[in-house]
Amino acid sequence: MANIKSAKKRILVSRTRADRNKAIRSGVKTAIKKVYAAVESGDKEAAKAELTAATKTIEMAASKGVYHKNNVARKISRLSKAVNGMA
């Protein structure tokens, strides 16, 4: 355990940020799963709606610094490809 006051604060701050990042990542994963579930069901309108919601969630995560911009672009691209590839 840290003895210096600033080190104690860094522990608290890093724990708080880690919890926040974990919650944001969890939300992104859930949004992605919803898109793929809609694609599997074959409902194109629902898939498009879930895609827009997922895109917003992923981009908000990027703005918070949780994901790198290239990682975000790759995730959105893969989701868009899955939705656009529906028959």
Side-chain angles (χ1 to χ4, degrees), residues 30-50:
T30 303
I32 290 172
K33 285 179 188 174
K34 286 181 180 179
V35 173
Y36 284 124
V39 169
E40 288 295 318
S41 69
D43 188 0
K44 191 156 180 111
E45 292 303 317
K48 284 187 178 183
E50 291 296 339

Side-chain angles (χ1 to χ4, degrees), residues 34-76:
K34 286 181 180 179
V35 173
Y36 284 124
V39 169
E40 288 295 318
S41 69
D43 188 0
K44 191 156 180 111
E45 292 303 317
K48 284 187 178 183
E50 291 296 339
L51 175 64
T52 56
T55 301
K56 181 179 179 185
T57 305
I58 295 169
E59 286 178 346
M60 284 175 60
S63 71
K64 303 292 184 200
V66 179
Y67 288 111
H68 189 273
K69 64 177 185 152
N70 291 354
N71 191 337
V72 169
R74 184 176 66 244
K75 286 181 188 298
I76 293 173

